[in-house]
């Protein structure tokens, strides 16, 4: 199959990012309502829904756009010789718009105002360190598979990785600037206050750069099928 | 293997739909009994059992009938050039009868009356929006895989998707008119009052139509193996 | 690879059945200790450990013995033209001895007496119906895969199915006479009183017979690779 | 692809072991904070994060180093004709250093002192028996797959096995001397007091020896692809 045209790919990135944000935020709202006062159980519900949901939506949109839903992934892919820089730049606004739309849809599905700005402060040193590590690990999973002819395992691997990273980091692993922006627009369980966003995005970019270096060291050769 | 004859396929749809309803309703009853007063944990138990159960029953019946268990899936398949319209129409009563039978079996497995009519009101705007989105997403998962030669991943993908959709929608994602009807017949955790059923089915049909449009846009070409 | 000799296969059935019982009973003891008074959470922990553990042990022993760990599976396999009747009869005592040994090991791993006889009454009509359905479904999963060249999916499918069946039946789905016997020997969460065992085993045999009939109807032809 | 050079493989073992320890310890800290006083739920959260995290990191580093992260696995591999003894000896310090580093990173991600020595006593007869069985089972999973051309299933199988073993053993299944050492360095949920470490490591070595004997009996032949 030749690569789908850019317009179709942008629609896929937009819809997939919208589903991603709706899953993360929607399951957070459900968890908060159904398990009030039990933060651990809420996060377990939120993480489990996100992990299996990610698996499904990467399968849904992967053959069209690569199912990045994440500018760090797109730009890392460009750096590592996958998509063009021009395409990565085109993906970014589709991803951000998708994540914001998904936040709105999640709010509406639960009968809330279409938009509410989160007041949850998340910026801190440990959270920034968490985002660096979570993002570097995410790139390692994706490109270790892509560079060894195992891309068919990526949907399960990314879902599993993020499910774990909700728990092994203190930041619950956003690891994605687009969803970080989207999560500002819901003052619910998964929200993030706008003032905390710059720290998160900086840390994610830092983690992305670290991840690319490690991938280049560990997997220097592209297999012919991936080049 | 040539396609099994229609009679055998209808038995498969009936049995699979019965298992589906027994899993959804039975695990709901167990959850309600074992975790009283903790709705979040109940839904986690119900969603986890449904997700892994769906995976198993799609594997069980897939090679015979396609393992739809859902009229929206069957009619979307007919629209998209899969099964014939005549077969889709024949599947529908088997699916509905299967889901009702599964509800009865679930009730009996837990020592309840064979039939009790649910009084759980579920009709609302946010729930209808949830059903539209849940059903469109379900079709996207199924046909994105079918149209790209990845149908072998459908059992895991559908189970995972529905497991997530229990949480990211406010309706817990019925996404299936046949099970919506079946769930009227058990006045337990997973039940739905008859008066709420029409709204759910309308929303599911709407989501099905939206899903078919998106699939046609994103995956216009049938691969030769699927045509 | 030619079939391993019978002695090696019996060791595999013995060890696998021991692991199975140790997983079911051991995780039940852990759940009971760590989540006292919360039966729903206990069952969730027990079911999740069993589901993923089954996946692992079927992978462990499958190529040697087929990883039945269950006389109903072995005799159904003989009926359906898989292993010989003589081999099925040889598997049975290895499976029962394995499950009893696993119960002892579980007790010892948790610092309990090597053997204690369960006093948990489980015999009832709804539980018997549950065992019939759970066992028929288990055979459907296994032989639907075996007869369509998809046996590689059996470890995940059986684990997932049993994980669901813990919840959608009132009996928590023993579905296996060998482990039913083994579970008498631990007076803990997963135990069963000896007086309840005959009803369970009868129901499992009934479910096995029903399962074989359904498989023969739905999947009449063996693929050449399986014959 | 020819085998990557040793230096690259050691970096992979170091990073993978660091991720492993960060996942185990980090998710333990999160569980302890978010579900205080509910040990069962804490262990469920910890086990689930570890299971899915292991799946992801074995996929991440497998093609480079084999993704052992565990000296018992490396020396068993040498015994069974996989890697050389010299390489196994080189892996060991990378694995231990990685697990210690991962403990430090986990502490820092949660805003704790970089190092704190655990005071959790874990040495006991039942725990030692648990570690023997857990480690033997781990080797059985890994080498049953490696010796039958199914190594592609190892990431999922190892994650699932360890997820189950958290529950079916009383020790929560460390099954790995490197992470046993690493877990001394965090006085949190997953920690272990230094005085308990020798018993655990001895039991793991004993389980490793037992595992190798069972593998040799059940799977005597290397398939050509693995030799």
């Amino acid at each position: 199959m030749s690569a789908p045209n850019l317009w179709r790919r942008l629609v896929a990135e937009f819809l997939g990012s919208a589903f991603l944000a709706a899953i993360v935020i929607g399951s957070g709202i459900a968890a908060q309502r159904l398990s009030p006062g039990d933060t651990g159980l809420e996060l377990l519900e939120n993480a489990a829904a996100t992990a299996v949901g990610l698996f499904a939506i990467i399968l849904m949109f992967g053959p069209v756009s690569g199912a990045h839903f994440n500018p760090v992934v797109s730009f890392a892919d460009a750096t590592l010789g996958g998509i063009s820089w021009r395409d990565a730049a085109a993906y970014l606004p589709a991803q951000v718009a998708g994540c914001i739309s998904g936040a709105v849809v999640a709010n509406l599905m639960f009968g809330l105002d279409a938009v509410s700005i989160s007041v949850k402060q998340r910026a801190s040193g440990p959270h920034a360190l968490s985002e660096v590590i979570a993002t570097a690990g995410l790139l390692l999973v994706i490109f270790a598979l892509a560079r060894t002819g195992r891309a068919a395992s990526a949907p399960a691997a990314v879902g599993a990785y993020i499910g774990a990273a909700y728990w092994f980091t203190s930041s619950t692993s956003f690891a994605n600037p687009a969803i970080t922006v989207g999560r500002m627009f819901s003052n619910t369980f998964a929200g993030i206050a706008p003032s905390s966003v710059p720290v998160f995005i900086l840390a994610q970019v830092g983690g992305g750069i670290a991840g690319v270096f490690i991938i280049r060291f560990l997997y220097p050769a592209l297999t012919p099928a991936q080049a």
Side-chain angles (χ1 to χ4, degrees), chain A:
Chain A
M1 203 162 69
S2 61
N5 65 49
L6 182 58
W7 179 242
R8 200 180 294 146
R9 290 156 66 201
L10 294 181
V11 172
E13 283 297 304
F14 172 83
L15 285 175
S17 302
F19 262 106
L20 175 60
I23 290 168
V24 169
I25 295 166
S27 66
I29 298 172
Q32 200 173 21
R33 287 198 184 164
L34 301 178
S35 302
D38 190 341
T39 317
L41 188 54
E42 287 169 359
L43 191 67
L44 186 62
E45 294 158 352
N46 191 208
T50 303
V52 296
L54 254 173
F55 169 67
I57 62 174
I58 297 173
L59 286 170
M60 249 187 234
F61 299 104
V64 182
S65 69
H68 297 175
F69 317 148
N70 185 341
V72 171
V73 172
S74 299
F75 283 100
D77 198 25
T79 308
L80 291 164
I83 63 172
S84 70
W85 286 92
R86 196 175 141 278
D87 286 1
Y91 272 29
L92 189 148
Q95 292 160 345
V96 172
C99 283
I100 295 171
S101 305
V104 170
V105 170
N107 289 332
L108 294 174
M109 282 198 292
F110 286 88
L112 303 172
D113 288 346
V115 166
S116 59
I117 301 299
S118 173
V119 299
K120 194 179 280 190
Q121 299 297 331
R122 294 184 184 259
S124 77
H127 283 200
L129 175 61
S130 292
E131 288 298 309
V132 170
I133 289 166
T135 310
L138 177 62
L139 293 191
L140 272 165
V141 176
I142 293 169
F143 293 101
L145 296 171
R147 296 190 141 220
T148 54
R150 299 176 298 157
S153 294
V158 169
Y161 175 78
I162 292 294
Y166 260 79
W167 283 96
F168 77 74
T169 66
S170 63
S171 65
T172 72
S173 187
F174 288 42
N176 178 345
I179 199 151
T180 304
V181 169
R183 287 164 76 155
M184 290 194 296
F185 294 94
S186 184
N187 188 20
T188 58
F189 187 73
I192 181 170
S195 61
S196 297
V197 165
V199 168
F200 268 57
I201 291 180
L202 266 175
Q204 291 156 1
V205 171
I209 293 168
V212 167
F213 272 94
I214 300 172
I215 292 155
R216 280 204 164 128
F217 176 74
L218 292 178
Y219 294 99
L222 277 174
T223 62
Q226 305 291 327

